[in-house]
Amino acid sequence: MTNQEFEILVNKLEKQASANPKLYRFKVIMLTGLGFGYVALFLSLFLFLMAISVSMIADGDFTFGNVKVLLLTGTLSFFIIKALIVKMEMPDGYYLQREEAPKLYEMIDALRHKMNTPPIDEIVLDSEFNASVAQISSYGMFGKKRNVLVIGIPLLTTLSQQQFTAVLAHELAHISNSDTALGAKIYRLRMSWGRLLQSLEENEQFGTFIFKKFFQWFYPRFDAYTFAMARQEEYDADRSAAEMSSPQAMGEALAATSVAAPYYYRDFYSELFEECAKTNSVPQPYSNFTEKLQSLNDQRATQYFQEQLDEESYMTDTHPCLKDRLSALGVEARLPEKQHESALDYFFAYPGRIVSDFNKMWVDHNEDTWKEEIETFNDSKQRFDELSKKQVTSLDELLEKAYLTVEFNSLEAAIPLYEEIAEKHHHEQRTAGALLTLGEHYLESSDTVEKGIQLINLAMSYDWELRLPALDVLCGYYYDTEKSELFEQTREELEKWADLVEASNEECDFIQPTDDFTAHDKEPKEILAGLEQLAQYREIAHAYLVRKQIKAIPERKQYVLGLELNLPKGTDLDEAEEALYEKYMNGLGEFEDTCVIILNDKKDLRKSLLSVENSQIYSLEDKEQAS
């Protein structure tokens, strides 16, 4: 099923869900039962055949056929059962106690009684700009359910008491309407089926076709049906929230978050970072966010709000767009007044302590990284000041100055530099990023559109990694300008390229002895820096570096760094591997686009790497002799 066919089906199903929600819900349950029943049927069959094989072997009928059936059915049963066990972990965050926010618990209790919802077992505070409710079972799909409400501190500091009450009612409505229970089951089933199919495909077991054909037909339809149901449930939850509070309160909550959320995720941290860099101070992000949001001028707030209003409902998000939600509530699309008392101040006994604790946790977790970034920022700022005072002509300095001008000034200020790069150095492949940036800018004016499209196509030809974002930019342009034929052609190309990227990712992730390996083409400077990192680990005896040829995208560079280790006797490699891989991936950063493989238990792969000329780049023996 293509993306276009999926969109058509979802639009059709949304109308059905809106017209008769109960009937539509029943259809989803039946469809879910079909998928689960199909898997259960074959699992039962495999277990039955396995039991017969075990019984016959136990009775002395030890034949090759019985052993083969036992191994085959046992393997398939193992993969199915493993895929079906999807346990949902409790969310990370600060687990709130009733005495810390008595008014919040009272409000939730009052809403629960009005809406007839089950109790909330835990309230968890985190750093996201969001609120959500989850039902988590003790044993994956089975066992006692715990209702967990997750609330982001930034959301609490943005909304007023009335607005946040509406948001709480929206989340509780999902439980009241049994959305979360069914949604959680469907979510786990989707994960299970995906894992099952992946396991069978990776292991190429006989019998995979039994599931492939079914899921190729079933899964896109199941995805469309559940997508439409989830979107309809968002509208239902909005209506329930409006009944519990008021349509105006729910509308104001949506409007307020449409300004604060994009500001928080897109611009707040960069602004805070720049301010702290100038003053060499330690950030207090949760306190600072409240202050900076309150001081946000009307022009910027309106800009964020209008951007959200202009967005359409997409097939990548079950939440309807802002204008559709406001329209369904019957409220006017306008910015609410700035609140004087936040929900955090109203509902919590000691709001300052909560914010202070979150600030401290953030600093404890990010302090080292923050200091490094501050140092980098100051160095970049100094370099920008240097380049701003002189006329640059070399491509390296032009690229550097353009990038720094965007960072420290604006894109508009950097356009003349990008134009100079395009005019004088467009034949250089390393200008690809600059050409794409300039091309996207040119699409905004009818006078420069054709030139912009040419630059974007040139950028794509230079760098395969820019092909996805470039095609996405062109898709957006053709869609906005209603050039349907070009839009469909570009979207088809985008979909095909996305499939190729995914296929190439799989090639990069799975390294086999039969892969096509060639000599690496890394620069000597990079190899020397990598060797210094290898020398830090006394257990690394030998290191081999080769390039793997990627069939899906031949120009993509992927390298394999094979390591032979001297480990103490009795070391269980299976138990040690995870820690070793984490250590090497963090410590061997000089090897870019490189997959690290421990070769101790992979003799065939080691043989394949050794067969490549000059593949050995490091030996502990040579290092010790040299020293």
Side-chain angles (χ1 to χ4, degrees), residues 50-64:
M50 185 172 66
I52 291 177
S53 300
V54 171
S55 177
M56 293 178 71
I57 293 172
D59 289 341
D61 190 8
F62 192 85
T63 65
F64 176 74

Side-chain angles (χ1 to χ4, degrees), residues 40 56 120 154 183 198 267 269 279 325 385 414 486 495 538 592:
M56 293 178 71
I120 296 296
Q198 182 181 358
D267 297 325
Y269 279 96
T279 59
R325 294 179 74 175
D385 293 338
L486 286 171
E495 290 174 357
R538 294 286 301 171
E592 294 184 355

Side-chain angles (χ1 to χ4, degrees), residues 271-284 288 362-363 367-379:
E271 290 179 5
L272 181 63
F273 176 78
E274 187 171 350
E275 288 179 6
C276 291
K278 290 176 180 176
T279 59
N280 198 27
S281 59
V282 177
Q284 304 293 311
N288 297 144
W362 190 95
V363 171
E367 186 172 14
D368 291 341
T369 304
W370 186 266
K371 287 180 178 178
E372 290 175 7
E373 290 182 352
I374 291 289
E375 186 176 343
T376 303
F377 176 89
N378 288 330
D379 291 342

Side-chain angles (χ1 to χ4, degrees), residues 21-34 36 88 118 133-137 140-141 145 147 173-191 193 222 225-233 236:
K22 289 185 179 179
L23 176 61
Y24 187 82
R25 192 182 188 83
F26 177 74
K27 288 182 179 179
V28 173
I29 293 172
M30 294 300 292
L31 191 63
T32 304
L34 173 64
F36 189 76
M88 295 181 69
V133 66
Q135 285 189 325
I136 299 176
S137 300
M141 295 181 64
K145 298 180 182 64
N147 297 306
H174 284 303
I175 303 178
S176 175
N177 299 334
S178 300
D179 299 345
T180 305
L182 178 61
K185 288 178 181 177
I186 289 172
Y187 173 75
R188 285 190 287 268
L189 278 174
R190 288 171 69 178
M191 289 180 64
W193 294 333
F222 176 77
Y225 267 85
T226 53
F227 185 96
M229 184 183 74
R231 180 164 287 178
Q232 187 59 44
E233 287 169 350
D236 293 340

